[in-house]
Amino acid sequence: EKGGYEHFMLKEIHEQPESLANAIRGRLDFNLGTSVLSGMGTSARDLSEIQRVVFLGCGTSLHAGLVGEYAFEDLADIHAEVQQAAEFRYRNPIISRSDLVVAISQSGETADTLAAVREANQKGAFVMGLCNVVGSTIARETGRGIYLHAGPEISVASTKAFTCQVAVMLMMALKLGRGRRFSREEGLKLAREIERIPELVERTIQQSDKIEKIAARYAEHEHAFFIGRGYLYPVALEGALKLKEISYIHAEGYHAAELKHGPIALLQKGTPVIALANDIAGKDKTLGNVEECRARGARILGVITEGDKEAAEFMDDFIEVPACHPLVATIPTAVALQLLSYHIARARGCEIDQPRNLAKSVTVE
Ligand code: M6R
């Protein structure tokens, strides 16, 4: 059932080009430069009435929602925010009928996310689900939504669900954006970039052997920091979560600008800093932060855009991901970090598919 792979996690990482192709298939309209997401269950009028989008989720799904927040604000010009589902539920959320609430959950069974859905439904918001498991409780209770079509995810560490969640949110933002500020031409450009995602991920996965060699140099450390800014900030958080859950290395994800407000105090000679420095807005500032870390003796592993010699100069080691639209770049970058975590955990002899203390789906609040 592992299809010849040593672990489900590795199998699921490798399945991503296909999962993503399934998530995208039939959902892009190259005539109108938009996306077709009937599951959103919205008429054109509904869409124009949406004033705010609130994403809800936990763990990896929360990080996907954070990417969604950036995508909706930048592409669709719409106020968007992400909230940890348990926090949303207990803080008297201000919700109105013009709010679109998107519950993100691979399993569709996470108790905190389900409770948040019930709260949002009760307050009259327009609620939809972004689930992978067909017929799951959240999918049923939201009544409308978009399935990821990622295929079954067995490994406790979420991989293909995350990348499919981001891909689907990009298509949602494209659809909303076309109703608001995007021309057909701009819409087409983005649709073509989204269409490339499976290939971009395939090219990233092809570097698995190289990433494995790099991972061997980082496997002995007990602490690691992931930094990024802009679209890559949520990816830094996700990279740190993945590493800590399967390798038991204490890993922290920070906005690159936050380091010098405290965490930099923890850097010592050789402390690994994984810097997401793809060639997108904010790169120069992140490279400046890399210098600050290096000055404290940190060992820097960069994720950079293929062929970016300038960024490579700043790094002790680097992994390259293909050049693409900056929002789309979140996906191959996350895949590179999944492989890094996997190979580090494997080098440490960890269990990987069933990490201690964790369950695939958290059904208690
Ligand atoms: O099924 P869900 O997407 O609602 O699950 C949410 C989290 O429990 C989940 O993403 C968790 O953080 C993963 N183990 C991360 O790899």
Side-chain angles (χ1 to χ4, degrees):
E1 10 136 26
K2 290 187 198 142
Y5 291 98
E6 196 178 334
H7 297 97
F8 279 110
M9 184 182 179
L10 190 62
K11 173 173 180 262
E12 287 158 11
I13 290 173
H14 280 261
E15 277 169 355
Q16 286 176 109
E18 200 191 326
S19 302
L20 285 156
N22 290 338
I24 294 166
R25 184 171 304 115
R27 289 173 166 172
L28 291 172
D29 178 337
F30 291 98
N31 256 326
L32 298 175
T34 185
S35 64
V36 189
L37 297 165
S38 49
M40 275 176 90
T42 39
S43 64
R45 216 187 86 235
D46 290 334
L47 286 186
S48 65
E49 278 172 5
I50 297 169
Q51 305 273 343
R52 183 173 75 137
V53 182
V54 180
F55 296 103
L56 303 173
C58 300
T60 288
S61 295
L62 175 67
H63 297 151
L66 198 46
V67 180
E69 180 182 321
Y70 284 91
F72 275 61
E73 291 195 349
D74 281 3
L75 302 176
D77 239 349
I78 185 164
H79 177 79
E81 61 186 66
V82 63
Q83 293 195 29
Q84 206 284 340
E87 191 59 15
F88 173 87
R89 167 72 177 77
Y90 289 106
R91 70 186 279 199
N92 185 30
I94 314 294
I95 289 289
S96 76
R97 289 184 178 280
S98 57
D99 288 330
L100 169 64
V101 172
V102 184
I104 309 174
S105 176
Q106 186 286 130
S107 62
E109 304 296 345
T110 299
D112 284 323
T113 313
L114 177 59
V117 162
R118 290 181 176 154
E119 177 76 18
N121 265 333
Q122 222 231 330
K123 294 208 157 176
F126 190 102
V127 187
M128 58 173 281
L130 218 66
C131 299
N132 191 38
V133 177
V134 176
S136 54
T137 312
I138 292 172
R140 280 187 282 115
E141 292 209 11
T142 46
R144 58 169 91 74
I146 305 171
Y147 281 119
L148 302 177
H149 300 314
E153 195 181 65
I154 310 291
S155 162
V156 165
S158 184
T159 53
K160 57 183 183 170
F162 176 80
T163 49
C164 288
Q165 284 162 346
V166 173
V168 168
M169 281 188 288
L170 291 181
M171 291 187 287
M172 289 170 67
L174 169 62
K175 186 176 164 91
L176 272 173
R178 277 289 277 128
R180 285 164 194 256
R181 62 178 274 257
F182 257 50
S183 67
R184 178 177 171 278
E185 277 315 302
E186 284 172 299
L188 265 179
K189 244 165 104 183
L190 182 61
R192 289 202 191 98
E193 281 289 290
I194 294 173
E195 196 191 21
R196 288 177 66 211
I197 292 173
E199 175 220 321
L200 298 169
V201 168
E202 182 67 60
R203 279 165 56 193
T204 306
I205 291 173
Q206 281 164 7
Q207 296 176 72
S208 186
D209 290 349
K210 183 185 165 199
I211 296 175
E212 184 174 3
K213 288 194 187 91
I214 292 172
R217 291 176 219 140
Y218 292 82
E220 302 301 317
H221 293 270
E222 291 311 315
H223 304 275
F225 292 87
F226 287 71
I227 59 169
R229 45 175 82 221
Y231 304 145
L232 298 170
Y233 166 52
V235 182
L237 299 182
E238 173 58 11
L241 173 62
K242 211 95 300 170
L243 185 65
K244 77 184 96 177
E245 90 180 310
I246 62 166
S247 75
Y248 312 138
I249 292 173
H250 166 225
E252 300 277 1
Y254 280 104
H255 190 285
E258 268 299 305
L259 275 190
K260 47 180 168 295
H261 297 284
I264 204 166
L266 293 168
L267 296 186
Q268 291 176 317
K269 195 167 166 12
T271 307
V273 172
I274 294 92
L276 309 186
N278 307 46
D279 195 10
I280 65 174
K283 176 185 105 172
D284 291 345
K285 290 222 161 72
T286 300
L287 291 178
N289 302 127
V290 162
E291 274 302 286
E292 291 158 5
C293 296
R294 179 192 294 285
R296 274 83 183 174
R299 181 179 178 104
I300 319 285
L301 165 55
V303 179
I304 63 173
T305 301
E306 214 165 47
D308 185 349
K309 297 209 167 61
E310 185 212 2
E313 289 284 303
F314 283 74
M315 313 299 174
D316 293 298
D317 303 283
F318 60 86
I319 302 169
E320 290 174 292
V321 296
C324 54
H325 183 285
L327 264 163
V328 167
T330 54
I331 294 179
T333 304
V335 171
L337 298 185
Q338 293 165 0
L339 283 164
L340 178 71
S341 291
Y342 174 82
H343 288 303
I344 289 179
R346 190 171 171 278
R348 288 166 71 90
C350 297
E351 253 185 81
I352 300 188
D353 282 337
Q354 291 276 313
R356 69 182 178 217
N357 308 341
L358 293 177
K360 180 63 182 160
S361 117
V362 183
T363 52
V364 285
E365 281 189 45

